[in-house]
Amino acid sequence: MPRIRFKKPSYPVSNSLRKYLLETGREREVPISYNELLRYSSSVPLFDNKGTDTYWETVLYNQSDRAFIHDSLIMIYAQLKVAGDVKSFEHLFIDRIDYCLYANTHPFRVRVVNRLNDLFDYFYVKQADMSRIYGMELEHLLSPNKINYIVKGTTVIEEHIQGIPGGAFIKHFLPSQEYNPLRVAKEFVKFNERSLVQLQGDMRNDNFVVEVIPDFDDLYFRLRATDFDQHCYEGDLKIYMPQYFIENNPIINLGFKSMSPILELQYQKEERTRLQIRVQAAGRQLDNLIEAMRKEELSKEENILSLRSGLASLYQDDKFLEAQTMGELVATSLQMLEKYPVRKRNGLATKEVS
């Protein structure tokens, strides 16, 4: 099984990435920073509706700070949703601010409630990490999913990605719902390919969500990455292939039961073709991103050497061995989209996964 042994260090945003973020409108002024949210006076553990500890804490602020913090967060939410038109959001209020100590970026999760109908939404305020930003931007450009976020200095604000958490989907949906298992297995193959090509690591079930999409004759599914902290850092190739995580085995087993190797190869090729089309559509913007990424220090040298060796073996192409950075490995991976490596039971599992 792939295993992440050590916590990844945080990489500050470089000048080249900052330039890209400014050119694409990702870097903008915001009324409050991550560090200002750290000035809470106390916190209480947050439990879910079944009384289980969520490992988040709800933070509380002094009365003198609360109005400024809540007003600033509403302004940020307006920037994410309606280009900063706060007047459209006069009926919204900040219901709760939660803090997570165990995640790499120690995020704050902000819950926004609509007074008119009691509907709510979330967004996140995190420490800016260069690896995560590159992962989100590649996901935005190359996947069927769009990522909405803002960066300012050492702060990153992210829109909530909606869907059923992968663990909850496996535990509650798979055993009890009527659905076509082939559709779930098919989407896992595609998700596996996108993760590998983009070098998006650690896609165990805690780090993706599942969208369930009803159509007139069936249920359709889409898997979406939500955690980009391990983007192109680890040296083990298996970290970038969700098929190898034991936590994903219930979905993998669906594939063994419902999908033939011929179908699996078909879906693998389909997703790589779609990725090629998205690369062409992204054009100069993707070129600028990769150009900046090539120069970055995003991992340790030993990880780069290990991963480039694994990719060269997988694709049977020594071009990967020329890469000196993780950014160059991503660039070479995108160049390999026309090449379909023969991988037994690739998108689902191998005999190593049991």
Side-chain angles (χ1 to χ4, degrees), residues 165-185:
F169 177 82
I170 287 172
K171 184 177 180 180
H172 301 295
F173 189 95
L174 289 190
S176 61
Q177 301 290 327
E178 293 184 3
Y179 60 93
N180 184 344
L182 185 58
R183 294 202 179 279
V184 178

Side-chain angles (χ1 to χ4, degrees), residues 280-333:
Q280 294 168 358
R284 187 59 189 165
Q285 184 174 347
L286 179 61
D287 292 341
N288 291 342
L289 182 71
I290 296 298
E291 184 179 348
M293 196 177 185
R294 285 177 181 273
K295 309 167 189 174
E296 309 288 21
E297 180 183 343
L298 294 169
S299 187
K300 300 182 294 185
E301 183 178 3
E302 62 191 80
N303 288 354
I304 297 169
L305 296 177
S306 175
L307 183 57
R308 76 181 191 181
S309 176
L311 287 166
S313 176
L314 177 70
Y315 284 88
Q316 299 180 6
D317 195 314
D318 288 345
K319 190 170 184 179
F320 284 99
L321 300 180
E322 301 171 10
Q324 300 300 311
T325 67
M326 283 293 187
E328 290 180 356
L329 284 176
V330 172
T332 306
S333 177

Side-chain angles (χ1 to χ4, degrees), residues 133-148:
I133 293 172
Y134 273 119
M136 289 193 296
E137 193 65 15
L138 281 169
E139 177 78 1
H140 178 77
L141 294 174
L142 299 181
S143 82
N145 313 305
K146 298 305 174 187
I147 306 289
N148 189 11

Side-chain angles (χ1 to χ4, degrees), residues 244-255:
Y244 282 106
F245 287 100
I246 194 169
E247 294 89 344
N248 300 335
N249 271 3
I251 296 179
I252 291 167
N253 291 335
L254 282 183

Side-chain angles (χ1 to χ4, degrees), residues 47-52 171-172:
F47 297 89
D48 64 19
N49 54 15
K50 295 182 179 179
T52 303
K171 184 177 180 180
H172 301 295

Side-chain angles (χ1 to χ4, degrees), residues 15 31 42 50 70 84 89 95 99 111 124 147 166 186 195 243 245 255 264 288 312 338:
N15 290 335
S42 60
K50 295 182 179 179
H70 284 205
F89 284 167
D95 177 55
Y99 182 52
R111 175 167 153 141
Y124 300 84
I147 306 289
K186 172 184 176 180
S195 299
Q243 69 182 78
F245 287 100
E264 184 185 343
N288 291 342
E338 294 184 4

